[in-house]
Amino acid sequence: MEHVLSRFCLQGRPQRCVPYGQGHINRTYLVETERRRYILQRLSRAAFANIPGLMENVQAVTAYLAAQNDDPRSCLHLIPTTDGGCWYRDAEGEYWRVYDFIEDSLCLQAPESPEDFYQSAVAFGGFQRQLRSFPARTLHETIPDFHNTPDRYRKFHAALEADPLGRAEAAGPELEFFLSREEDAAALQRLRQTGALPLRVTHNDTKLNNVMLDAVTRKALCVIDLDTVMPGLAAYDFGDSIRFGASTGPEDETDLSRIEMDLGLYETYTRGFLQACGGMDEAELASLPLGAKIMTLECGLRFLTDYLEGDHYFSIHRPQHNLDRARTQIRLVRDMETKWDIMNDITRSCRL
Ligand SMILES: Nc1ncnc2c1ncn2[C@@H]1O[C@H](COP(=O)(O)OP(=O)(O)O)[C@@H](O)[C@H]1O
Ligand SMILES: [Mg+2]
C-alpha cells in the first residue's frame, strides 16, 4: 500500500493503513498520517466497467459541490495524485483514489429511528438542490440504461422467451403481474425522453450507509459513494429510497403479510427531501410518487428476470430467493396502488 499512497499528495507521512467501513463494492481503507486522516479506496473492477468515466463524474460533481460550500464536511474531497490526476492505476491494473476523511461523523447501516430516515432524505434532497444547475448532460452514463424501464422489460421478455431453466411455470402470477403493468412502467422513461421532466444529477445508491451524519447532532452532513452518479430524474433517487426505506420489511421477506409501504415513513422522507431540495415545479413533484412505484416495479422485474435467467446477478442464499424478492416488490407496488391518492396528497402537502 505504501507504493500506492506515495502517488497521492498527502499531508504528512502515512503511519497506518487499515481496512475500514462496511462497504460491499470497493475496498476501503483508513489511512493515518501524523497530521490527518484519509480514506483510500480500491475501486471494484467487477462492479464498474468504466472507471475513468466514473472518476470524471465524481471529480466534476465533488468540485461543483465544494465550490458552493466552505465546510469541509459538506461533501467528499478528492486528493490529487502527484501527477495532477485524481486516481492512480497500479501495475496490476487496479484503480485507487483517496478522499479526505470526514471527521466527527457517523455512518449508519440502517435507520435506527424515523429521524435517521428523515436525515437521509435531507441529505439526498440537499444533493438535488446543490446540483440543480449542474449540467447533468455532461456526466457519463457509466451504467447505460440503468433506469430505462422499457429496456428492463425487453430483457425480461427475452428471459421469459428463453426460459432456460424452465422456471416460468412456477412464477405464473408474478409474470402476469409484471406483464399487466408494462405500459404504466414506461411512464418515467417517456417523460424523460420528451423532456417533460428536467434531467438531474442522480446518485442511484441512496442507502443510509451512503450518508454521513454529524456524530453529535446526528444531522445530515453529506452524501458519499458517488460511484453511480449519472444523469437521470429526481424521481429515481426519491423512488428508490421509498422502495426500500418505507417498506415495513426486508426485501426478501417471505411472509408477505408483513410487507407494506408505510405512509408515515413515506411522509417523513418526502418532507425531508422536499425541504432540503427547495422548490420543485408541478411536473417534477408529481413524478415523485410515480418514481416510488416505478422504481419498485423495475426492481421487482429485475429480481424476476434474474430468477428466470438462473440467478446470475443478485447473489442468492436459498433457492427461489430472487422469486421471493420479486414477490415483496409486487406486494409493495400493489400497496402503493391502493394508497395512490394519499401518497399524492402527502407529496403535495410537503411541498414548500
Ligand atoms: N470520506 C469518508 N470519510 C469517512 N468515512 C468514509 C468516507 N468515505 C467512505 N467512508 C466509509 O467507508 C464506507 C464505504 O465507502 P463507500 O464509498 O460507500 O464504498 P462502497 O461503494 O463499497 O459502499 C462508508 O459506508 C463509510 O463508512
Ligand atoms: Mg457505499
Side-chain angles (χ1 to χ4, degrees):
M1 228 64 91
E2 249 168 72
H3 165 72
V4 171
L5 287 169
S6 73
R7 299 297 179 126
F8 290 88
C9 301
L10 305 182
Q11 291 182 30
R13 216 171 292 175
Q15 298 181 325
R16 209 164 79 98
C17 178
V18 290
Y20 187 79
Q22 296 184 50
H24 293 300
I25 308 292
N26 301 310
R27 284 270 184 90
T28 300
Y29 302 88
L30 167 67
V31 175
E32 287 177 358
T33 73
E34 67 272 43
R35 294 172 59 186
R36 51 190 308 157
R37 307 204 287 175
Y38 297 96
I39 286 285
L40 167 70
Q41 287 183 317
R42 193 188 82 187
L43 285 129
S44 166
R45 286 195 286 166
F48 306 118
N50 173 14
I51 294 182
L54 173 162
M55 285 304 296
E56 260 190 60
N57 285 355
V58 173
Q59 188 174 27
V61 167
T62 53
Y64 190 90
L65 292 172
Q68 289 182 45
N69 200 326
D70 295 336
D71 180 354
R73 299 194 303 161
S74 69
C75 69
L76 286 171
H77 292 270
L78 281 165
I79 303 300
T81 57
T82 49
D83 58 8
C86 64
W87 48 270
Y88 167 64
R89 191 167 186 209
D90 70 18
E92 279 87 58
E94 300 291 353
Y95 292 85
W96 299 86
R97 71 173 167 217
V98 177
Y99 288 119
D100 271 332
F101 188 88
I102 299 172
E103 296 289 351
D104 307 313
S105 63
L106 263 181
C107 180
L108 302 175
Q109 291 311 303
E112 287 162 13
S113 67
E115 176 61 19
D116 293 337
F117 188 47
Y118 177 82
Q119 289 303 324
S120 78
V122 168
F124 287 107
F127 188 72
Q128 280 303 314
R129 180 179 46 73
Q130 288 159 7
L131 293 166
R132 177 156 288 239
S133 303
F134 183 96
R137 213 166 288 283
T138 61
L139 293 175
H140 302 280
E141 205 174 323
T142 47
I143 312 174
D145 294 314
F146 190 53
H147 284 311
N148 180 344
T149 318
D151 190 64
R152 298 286 186 188
Y153 262 94
R154 279 189 281 281
K155 290 172 179 141
F156 165 68
H157 282 294
L160 184 54
E161 188 100 340
D163 194 18
L165 300 164
R167 289 180 170 183
E169 207 181 315
E174 290 77 18
L175 295 170
E176 203 177 302
F177 176 85
F178 286 108
L179 291 171
S180 71
R181 303 303 193 278
E182 184 161 2
E183 176 78 21
D184 290 0
L188 276 183
Q189 185 65 17
R190 275 197 297 270
L191 291 167
R192 177 172 171 173
Q193 270 166 347
T194 58
L197 291 174
L199 199 66
R200 301 289 188 202
V201 179
T202 50
H203 183 279
N204 296 309
D205 191 7
T206 55
K207 291 188 299 275
L208 187 62
N209 67 6
N210 288 329
V211 170
M212 302 307 276
L213 305 174
D214 183 281
V216 178
T217 64
R218 226 177 151 101
K219 294 215 184 306
L221 286 173
C222 68
V223 160
I224 60 166
D225 201 347
L226 303 175
D227 297 336
T228 47
V229 156
M230 278 186 276
L233 301 177
Y236 297 163
D237 277 358
F238 176 87
D240 203 41
S241 302
I242 296 301
R243 179 188 74 76
F244 65 81
S247 170
T248 51
E251 214 164 59
D252 58 356
E253 174 64 62
T254 51
D255 178 357
L256 292 178
S257 70
R258 292 193 183 163
I259 298 289
E260 65 167 313
M261 200 279 300
D262 185 298
L263 282 170
L265 290 172
Y266 181 83
E267 204 254 330
T268 297
Y269 195 89
T270 308
R271 203 161 31 84
F273 189 83
L274 288 176
Q275 270 172 15
C277 191
M280 196 177 255
D281 73 19
E282 199 57 50
E284 202 170 27
L285 191 78
S287 77
L288 299 181
L290 199 59
K293 184 175 147 183
I294 293 182
M295 290 302 102
T296 312
L297 252 173
E298 184 186 281
C299 185
L301 184 75
R302 291 178 63 197
F303 289 143
L304 191 59
T305 304
D306 201 37
Y307 174 70
L308 294 173
E309 287 176 340
D311 314 303
H312 301 309
Y313 188 81
F314 299 104
S315 52
I316 56 162
H317 308 297
R318 56 177 187 258
Q320 302 214 336
H321 204 161
N322 274 318
L323 184 58
D324 291 339
R325 290 173 174 140
R327 285 176 174 152
T328 61
Q329 304 306 294
I330 291 174
R331 173 94 180 175
L332 284 171
V333 172
R334 284 193 195 282
D335 194 41
M336 289 183 204
E337 287 172 348
T338 344
K339 294 171 176 166
W340 191 240
D341 291 341
I342 311 176
M343 283 169 72
N344 280 281
D345 289 347
I346 291 174
T347 312
R348 271 191 297 275
S349 75
C350 290
R351 186 187 195 173
L352 290 187

